[in-house]
Amino acid sequence: MTTPDHAAIAARLHDARQTTSPIGPLIADDPSLTVDDAYAIQQGLVAAILEAEGGRQVGYKLGLTSKPMQQMLGVDVPDYAPVLSSMVFDDGHTVDLDAYIQPKVEAEIALVLDQPLRGPGVTSMQAFRALGGAVAAIEMVDSRIADWKIGLVDTIADLASSGATILGSRVVPMDTLDPRLVGMVISRNGQTAATGAGAAALGNPVAAVAWLANTLAAYDVTLEAGWFIMTGSLHAAFEVEPGDLVRADFDHLGSVTTHFTRSSGSDHPRTSEEE
């Protein structure tokens, strides 16, 4: 059996990302690809992005943390990918959609590590003690696979379908809230698009962090102090268009907002919270 060329596949994904030209499903070209192959490809893609754009790793993102998403892809565990500094923006950032292929947005709770965390055997209580606080966040997911026709191998290899992360400005201490019970409303141009709560992320966002620490231990990886963990979407992702204003309001955590535009032409916002 031929060994998959991880570097070549990572280069294809990186080229698709740079040119905003999607490629077909990876498994269609090589049905033998496994989850282990996908994570090896992901590492190559991370290296290529860091070489091209500079920056550094600042955390991790989790995907497939909700039961409906797991059922859709026929899996029973989440996936993960590094978060890179070149992909992280402050509250109020304007996203240029010309830099992406087929973006969608999700509201999430980001948890910030105050201490290093390393598995195996990390419990939710130990993860809670390592965390310094929680932040309101919006993740813009994007896929380099055409028409979002993805399977588990595709999304893992493709940096867990990462696009951009917008973080709120407040870090709320963990001892002041129960992340499971943090409710959220996300709106698009002033109209409610979805609602959710922290419990959508593996039942508890803190448990999601413990899962990640234990999973990464097999690869000799420690979650570092100062990193943040995107703990998974609290609702079904939805598409955005030029001119859109998306705002997520969380109990206790406050709000986070991002605008969408196109550098290649003008856009005309619809009714928004700013009007």
Side-chain angles (χ1 to χ4, degrees), residues 115 117 120-131 206:
Q115 305 170 23
L117 190 64
V122 171
T123 65
S124 291
M125 180 60 71
Q126 290 170 326
F128 184 89
R129 290 172 178 166
L131 292 164
V206 175

Side-chain angles (χ1 to χ4, degrees), residues 92-100 103 105 140 189 240-246 258-269:
H93 177 73
T94 296
V95 175
D96 180 4
L97 292 175
D98 282 339
Y100 303 92
V105 294
M140 191 187 77
N189 305 313
V240 288
E241 299 175 352
D244 282 348
L245 171 68
V246 173
T258 186
H259 301 77
F260 296 90
T261 188
R262 284 197 186 280
S263 58
S264 59
S266 61
D267 52 63
H268 305 282

Side-chain angles (χ1 to χ4, degrees), residues 63-78 106 150 152 195-203 232-237:
L64 305 177
T65 54
S66 69
K67 289 299 182 183
M69 286 302 297
Q70 290 180 3
Q71 291 168 357
M72 186 176 75
L73 290 189
V75 299
D76 58 4
V77 294
E106 307 170 344
I150 59 172
L152 183 61
T195 61
L202 280 188
S233 179
L234 306 183
H235 60 93

